[in-house]
Each structure stands twice: as structure tokens, then as C-alpha cells.
Amino acid sequence: MPKQVDYESRRRRIAEAVCLLADEHGPEGVSMRDVAARAQVSLGAVQRCFRSKEEMLLFAVDHVGGRITQRVRNRVAASPAQSAATALGHAADEIALLREEHRAEARIWLAFVAQAAVSEPLTGPLRTSYAALQDLLTRLIAEATESVPADEDAAPLDPQREARALLALADGLTTHVLVGHLTAEGAEEVLHAHLVGLWERLGTARPGKAV
Amino acid sequence: MPKQVDYESRRRRIAEAVCLLADEHGPEGVSMRDVAARAQVSLGAVQRCFRSKEEMLLFAVDHVGGRITQRVRNRVAASPAQSAATALGHAADEIALLREEHRAEARIWLAFVAQAAVSEPLTGPLRTSYAALQDLLTRLIAEATESVPADEDAAPLDPQREARALLALADGLTTHVLVGHLTAEGAEEVLHAHLVGLWERLGTARPGKAV
DNA sequence: CCGGAAGCGATACGATCGTATTGGAATAAG
DNA sequence: CTTATTCCAATACGATCGTATCGCTTCCGG
């Protein structure tokens, strides 16, 4: 058998190039040729890695989704183990992608989401990532709920519903920052206020530091 | 002087065609030729109405933004005058575009938002619409706050911040429905729960019917 | 009533797209 | 060493894009 190449690492490299270009020129604005140039491979190499452009985009969205999810998980794991509420704050903050260094990732994500709303096969990886994040948030909220000494009379708090709200809020805030309707600071303030409200409903005292 | 045509009405017709196509094939997926065919005019006519494609898209996004904003305003105006809280619920519900008949509008909006995150000149009309909606929500929340008999000790509720949160949540929920992460019913439930929480913090009794 | 400006549809043009194909370089098996 | 197979870069191809241009029609002003 002749030559052997590591397709997996090349695919990842190409996915990175896709992300860079999607950040600059939008989702449909990335061409196979530009991707090849960015990844420093030939057009033919890209074609051998992916049978079609759609397959390439699908891999790329999965790649970036996995990266974001993993970073959130890492942040949660690095949080103080005894305080699920603090971890929750960190997770939400990480999901919102508000910091300047993640602006590119946010643009990429938005680009793929918009594409998926119309292209259908792209919804798969996207849903996977959203489901993973929602599950993580749900778990953290449930954990924080249990940690509060005892249930009072009121507050029928549904962890899954709260997780969905938090995820949607973070996503919406990110979008509004991207189009310039909000500043990153304004969005962060809104997110923070929502978390404070959530903690109050949990009956948990507000953790000392939440960003 | 020779012929005279009503450019304004033609522009609107073309904008409608742009929306239909953006709903079907995404933002960048609309071509001048397809637009012309949909609007039942010649390609040349489209070119005479808009100097470039970007100008056409800009007009279209302004068109749909204005339409959405107007519908929300109408809904608010049709709400019982004495209950700002009820009007707020209606407004939020209308903004979220969750009903099936507005799915197309939601897709169009998302398409333009994604485009704007990368194209810059499109952010103008988009920001205008977002600002209008946020102002409306802010006013309704402030109104509802004042209507509550007296301020207790706590609750330093910031109407603008709450409006931003509500707008971002509605936007995020719409997006999540579009990509299939949530069902319309699930999103509605989350939105409803958020509104209930908001009303409680307002000190207002929950209005009788909220959707 | 008639000359010319404005609108019209059609077509042309250059660029760029995704994909297919091709001929040669590289390599492991025989 | 030979040979068959895999990889490679480059180029070709057909389609489609946005835009420019061109005769022809239409209709108001003088």
C-alpha cells in the first residue's frame, strides 16, 4: 500500500480554516478555494477529505460545537466543587461568549445557526451541542436546588425549564452584542441580573463572586 | 417627461419577494434573478429600483423589521388599557414569533441578523428595530411598575434591563425553535414562566390570561 | 404632433462557485 | 527493481452570480 496520511488531523485543520473564514465573510461566504488556501493545502486535498462542501461545513460545525461545549465543561469542572450555584454562573458566562476573545466563535456559531435554519442537515450537530449545554445547565440547577437546606412552601422550580431559559437568554444576548444592539458590558449585566434572580428563587445565597 | 412609475410600491413588492426567498434558501441564497422572478418583474426593473444587491437587502431588512415592530405595536394597542402587565405579555409573545404562521418571518429575521454580524452596513436597520422593540418593552415594564400600589422595601427593578433580558430571551427562544432544539410549545412555556417571574418581582398580580 | 427622456426586457460579460478529471510523484508489496 | 495503488496539485467544466449595456417601446412637454 502506498502513502498514508492522517486524515483526521487534516480534517481538523480544514475545520479551523472554515471557522476563520466564516468569522470573516459569513457562512455562505466561505469557498472551497479560500478554505484550502487558509488551511495551506490544495483544493484537491480538501476535496479528498470531504466529499462535498456540505460535508465539510457539517464537520466544521460539529468541531466548533464540541470545542465550545468542552470549554464550558472545563470551566465548570474548575469551579469550587461545593457550590453548584457558582459553577452555574461560570457556565452561563462561558456559554454567552461575551468576552472579546470569543467574539469570533460567537460569529461562527451564529453563522451556522442561521444556515441550519434553512439547510436542515446542519441542524443535527447544532442540536447535539445545544442538548449537551442544556443538560449541563439542568444538572447544575438541579444540584443547586438540592443543596438548599429544605424546601419551603412555594417555588415549584423546574430545572429543565430554567436551563432552557438561561441558554436562550445567553444565546440571545450574544446575538444582540454581535449586531451591536448591546455592548458586551450591558449584556453581561443583564445575564448577571438574571442569575441573581435565579439564585434567589433557588433559595441559595448569592455566591461571593460570579464572573 | 416620459413614463412615471410608482417606485415605492415596486420596492415593497420586491422586498416581499426577497423575504420569501430568504425564508426558503437563506440570506445569501437569494439572487437578483430569483427575486425578479418572484416579484414578477424583469431583472432590469430590480436593478433600476436598487443600485446594488446590498441596497436591496438593506431595504428588505428595514421592511420586515418595520412590519414586525408595527405588528407588536398593534398588539399592544389592542390590549386592555388598564393592564400594562397584560400588554407586556402580549408584546413578548408577539416578539418571539413562535406561532407557526410567523415561522417564515423568524427565519428571515435570523437570516438578516447572521448576515449583519458580518456585513456591517446591515446592522443599521437591525439596530433600529431592536431599539424600537426594547423601548416599547421598557415603557411597558416601567408602566407596570408604577401601577403597583406602593414600593415595598426590596426590588430595585430596572425596566431597561428587564426589557433587554426579555428581548434577548424571546430572540433566543425563537432561534432555538428554528433549529429544532425546542418545540414552539416548550419555548412558549419558558417565555411564560419568565413573564410570571417578572410579574412577581413587579409586585403585580398575575394577569388572568397571558397569551 | 412630435422629439426626447425614462422605462423596459434581453442579453452580454467577467468573475467565482462546486465539482470532476487528469497526469505525474511517491510508496509499500511482491 | 518493478508494479500497482494512493495521494497530490493543477486544471477543466458547467453553472450561476452581480452588474453593465443595448435597442425598443412608451408617453409627457412644448
PDB file of all heavy atoms in Angstrom, chain A residues 134-150:
ATOM      1  N   GLN A 134     -27.669  22.312  27.417  1.00  0.00           N
ATOM      2  CA  GLN A 134     -28.880  22.370  28.235  1.00  0.00           C
ATOM      3  C   GLN A 134     -28.830  21.326  29.350  1.00  0.00           C
ATOM      4  O   GLN A 134     -29.197  21.606  30.499  1.00  0.00           O
ATOM      5  CB  GLN A 134     -30.116  22.148  27.363  1.00  0.00           C
ATOM      6  CG  GLN A 134     -31.406  22.168  28.168  1.00  0.00           C
ATOM      7  CD  GLN A 134     -32.608  21.803  27.319  1.00  0.00           C
ATOM      8  OE1 GLN A 134     -32.835  22.393  26.281  1.00  0.00           O
ATOM      9  NE2 GLN A 134     -33.370  20.803  27.760  1.00  0.00           N
ATOM     10  N   ASP A 135     -28.371  20.146  29.014  1.00  0.00           N
ATOM     11  CA  ASP A 135     -28.270  19.102  30.025  1.00  0.00           C
ATOM     12  C   ASP A 135     -27.335  19.525  31.143  1.00  0.00           C
ATOM     13  O   ASP A 135     -27.616  19.327  32.328  1.00  0.00           O
ATOM     14  CB  ASP A 135     -27.762  17.800  29.391  1.00  0.00           C
ATOM     15  CG  ASP A 135     -28.860  17.083  28.636  1.00  0.00           C
ATOM     16  OD1 ASP A 135     -30.007  17.591  28.680  1.00  0.00           O
ATOM     17  OD2 ASP A 135     -28.587  16.050  28.014  1.00  0.00           O
ATOM     18  N   LEU A 136     -26.213  20.102  30.754  1.00  0.00           N
ATOM     19  CA  LEU A 136     -25.256  20.538  31.759  1.00  0.00           C
ATOM     20  C   LEU A 136     -25.872  21.581  32.684  1.00  0.00           C
ATOM     21  O   LEU A 136     -25.747  21.494  33.919  1.00  0.00           O
ATOM     22  CB  LEU A 136     -24.030  21.127  31.060  1.00  0.00           C
ATOM     23  CG  LEU A 136     -22.870  21.447  31.989  1.00  0.00           C
ATOM     24  CD1 LEU A 136     -21.716  20.504  31.705  1.00  0.00           C
ATOM     25  CD2 LEU A 136     -22.414  22.879  31.822  1.00  0.00           C
ATOM     26  N   LEU A 137     -26.550  22.537  32.109  1.00  0.00           N
ATOM     27  CA  LEU A 137     -27.187  23.575  32.919  1.00  0.00           C
ATOM     28  C   LEU A 137     -28.277  22.983  33.807  1.00  0.00           C
ATOM     29  O   LEU A 137     -28.401  23.338  34.988  1.00  0.00           O
ATOM     30  CB  LEU A 137     -27.786  24.661  32.016  1.00  0.00           C
ATOM     31  CG  LEU A 137     -26.780  25.564  31.295  1.00  0.00           C
ATOM     32  CD1 LEU A 137     -27.493  26.556  30.396  1.00  0.00           C
ATOM     33  CD2 LEU A 137     -25.892  26.294  32.292  1.00  0.00           C
ATOM     34  N   THR A 138     -29.053  22.080  33.223  1.00  0.00           N
ATOM     35  CA  THR A 138     -30.116  21.437  34.001  1.00  0.00           C
ATOM     36  C   THR A 138     -29.543  20.736  35.229  1.00  0.00           C
ATOM     37  O   THR A 138     -30.049  20.873  36.343  1.00  0.00           O
ATOM     38  CB  THR A 138     -30.875  20.411  33.137  1.00  0.00           C
ATOM     39  OG1 THR A 138     -31.403  21.068  31.986  1.00  0.00           O
ATOM     40  CG2 THR A 138     -32.013  19.782  33.915  1.00  0.00           C
ATOM     41  N   ARG A 139     -28.465  20.021  34.993  1.00  0.00           N
ATOM     42  CA  ARG A 139     -27.839  19.281  36.093  1.00  0.00           C
ATOM     43  C   ARG A 139     -27.349  20.240  37.182  1.00  0.00           C
ATOM     44  O   ARG A 139     -27.562  20.009  38.379  1.00  0.00           O
ATOM     45  CB  ARG A 139     -26.693  18.434  35.563  1.00  0.00           C
ATOM     46  CG  ARG A 139     -26.593  17.082  36.251  1.00  0.00           C
ATOM     47  CD  ARG A 139     -25.592  16.182  35.540  1.00  0.00           C
ATOM     48  NE  ARG A 139     -25.739  16.250  34.097  1.00  0.00           N
ATOM     49  CZ  ARG A 139     -24.721  16.455  33.256  1.00  0.00           C
ATOM     50  NH1 ARG A 139     -23.499  16.617  33.737  1.00  0.00           N
ATOM     51  NH2 ARG A 139     -24.917  16.500  31.958  1.00  0.00           N
ATOM     52  N   LEU A 140     -26.713  21.320  36.751  1.00  0.00           N
ATOM     53  CA  LEU A 140     -26.193  22.271  37.734  1.00  0.00           C
ATOM     54  C   LEU A 140     -27.323  22.909  38.537  1.00  0.00           C
ATOM     55  O   LEU A 140     -27.214  23.089  39.755  1.00  0.00           O
ATOM     56  CB  LEU A 140     -25.379  23.359  37.023  1.00  0.00           C
ATOM     57  CG  LEU A 140     -24.003  22.930  36.532  1.00  0.00           C
ATOM     58  CD1 LEU A 140     -23.354  24.038  35.736  1.00  0.00           C
ATOM     59  CD2 LEU A 140     -23.123  22.522  37.706  1.00  0.00           C
ATOM     60  N   ILE A 141     -28.403  23.251  37.850  1.00  0.00           N
ATOM     61  CA  ILE A 141     -29.528  23.875  38.545  1.00  0.00           C
ATOM     62  C   ILE A 141     -30.169  22.898  39.526  1.00  0.00           C
ATOM     63  O   ILE A 141     -30.483  23.251  40.667  1.00  0.00           O
ATOM     64  CB  ILE A 141     -30.565  24.393  37.530  1.00  0.00           C
ATOM     65  CG1 ILE A 141     -29.969  25.558  36.730  1.00  0.00           C
ATOM     66  CG2 ILE A 141     -31.839  24.846  38.227  1.00  0.00           C
ATOM     67  CD1 ILE A 141     -30.839  26.047  35.600  1.00  0.00           C
ATOM     68  N   ALA A 142     -30.326  21.660  39.070  1.00  0.00           N
ATOM     69  CA  ALA A 142     -30.913  20.650  39.953  1.00  0.00           C
ATOM     70  C   ALA A 142     -30.032  20.450  41.179  1.00  0.00           C
ATOM     71  O   ALA A 142     -30.527  20.364  42.321  1.00  0.00           O
ATOM     72  CB  ALA A 142     -31.088  19.339  39.193  1.00  0.00           C
ATOM     73  N   GLU A 143     -28.749  20.420  40.941  1.00  0.00           N
ATOM     74  CA  GLU A 143     -27.791  20.243  42.032  1.00  0.00           C
ATOM     75  C   GLU A 143     -27.905  21.383  43.039  1.00  0.00           C
ATOM     76  O   GLU A 143     -27.948  21.172  44.255  1.00  0.00           O
ATOM     77  CB  GLU A 143     -26.379  20.199  41.458  1.00  0.00           C
ATOM     78  CG  GLU A 143     -25.394  19.373  42.249  1.00  0.00           C
ATOM     79  CD  GLU A 143     -24.071  19.268  41.490  1.00  0.00           C
ATOM     80  OE1 GLU A 143     -24.117  18.923  40.287  1.00  0.00           O
ATOM     81  OE2 GLU A 143     -23.031  19.554  42.083  1.00  0.00           O
ATOM     82  N   ALA A 144     -27.970  22.599  42.486  1.00  0.00           N
ATOM     83  CA  ALA A 144     -28.070  23.767  43.360  1.00  0.00           C
ATOM     84  C   ALA A 144     -29.384  23.749  44.136  1.00  0.00           C
ATOM     85  O   ALA A 144     -29.445  24.193  45.283  1.00  0.00           O
ATOM     86  CB  ALA A 144     -27.963  25.044  42.538  1.00  0.00           C
ATOM     87  N   THR A 145     -30.416  23.254  43.511  1.00  0.00           N
ATOM     88  CA  THR A 145     -31.710  23.175  44.189  1.00  0.00           C
ATOM     89  C   THR A 145     -31.650  22.234  45.375  1.00  0.00           C
ATOM     90  O   THR A 145     -32.159  22.520  46.459  1.00  0.00           O
ATOM     91  CB  THR A 145     -32.798  22.693  43.200  1.00  0.00           C
ATOM     92  OG1 THR A 145     -32.810  23.529  42.072  1.00  0.00           O
ATOM     93  CG2 THR A 145     -34.160  22.714  43.867  1.00  0.00           C
ATOM     94  N   GLU A 146     -31.024  21.093  45.153  1.00  0.00           N
ATOM     95  CA  GLU A 146     -30.949  20.101  46.227  1.00  0.00           C
ATOM     96  C   GLU A 146     -30.086  20.577  47.392  1.00  0.00           C
ATOM     97  O   GLU A 146     -30.312  20.204  48.533  1.00  0.00           O
ATOM     98  CB  GLU A 146     -30.382  18.787  45.681  1.00  0.00           C
ATOM     99  CG  GLU A 146     -31.362  18.061  44.770  1.00  0.00           C
ATOM    100  CD  GLU A 146     -30.656  16.967  43.990  1.00  0.00           C
ATOM    101  OE1 GLU A 146     -29.464  16.742  44.234  1.00  0.00           O
ATOM    102  OE2 GLU A 146     -31.326  16.349  43.134  1.00  0.00           O
ATOM    103  N   SER A 147     -29.100  21.390  47.038  1.00  0.00           N
ATOM    104  CA  SER A 147     -28.149  21.806  48.074  1.00  0.00           C
ATOM    105  C   SER A 147     -28.762  22.773  49.073  1.00  0.00           C
ATOM    106  O   SER A 147     -28.236  22.977  50.164  1.00  0.00           O
ATOM    107  CB  SER A 147     -26.929  22.467  47.417  1.00  0.00           C
ATOM    108  OG  SER A 147     -27.237  23.785  47.026  1.00  0.00           O
ATOM    109  N   VAL A 148     -29.884  23.398  48.671  1.00  0.00           N
ATOM    110  CA  VAL A 148     -30.520  24.308  49.617  1.00  0.00           C
ATOM    111  C   VAL A 148     -31.211  23.479  50.707  1.00  0.00           C
ATOM    112  O   VAL A 148     -31.941  22.536  50.398  1.00  0.00           O
ATOM    113  CB  VAL A 148     -31.508  25.269  48.914  1.00  0.00           C
ATOM    114  CG1 VAL A 148     -32.440  24.513  47.996  1.00  0.00           C
ATOM    115  CG2 VAL A 148     -32.304  26.057  49.930  1.00  0.00           C
ATOM    116  N   PRO A 149     -30.990  23.838  51.989  1.00  0.00           N
ATOM    117  CA  PRO A 149     -31.370  23.026  53.143  1.00  0.00           C
ATOM    118  C   PRO A 149     -32.715  22.307  53.017  1.00  0.00           C
ATOM    119  O   PRO A 149     -32.763  21.092  53.051  1.00  0.00           O
ATOM    120  CB  PRO A 149     -31.416  24.042  54.301  1.00  0.00           C
ATOM    121  CG  PRO A 149     -30.679  25.256  53.808  1.00  0.00           C
ATOM    122  CD  PRO A 149     -30.327  25.061  52.391  1.00  0.00           C
ATOM    123  N   ALA A 150     -33.781  23.068  52.840  1.00  0.00           N
ATOM    124  CA  ALA A 150     -35.078  22.403  52.781  1.00  0.00           C
ATOM    125  C   ALA A 150     -36.011  23.186  51.873  1.00  0.00           C
ATOM    126  O   ALA A 150     -35.850  24.390  51.686  1.00  0.00           O
ATOM    127  CB  ALA A 150     -35.685  22.298  54.184  1.00  0.00           C
TER     128      ALA A 150
END
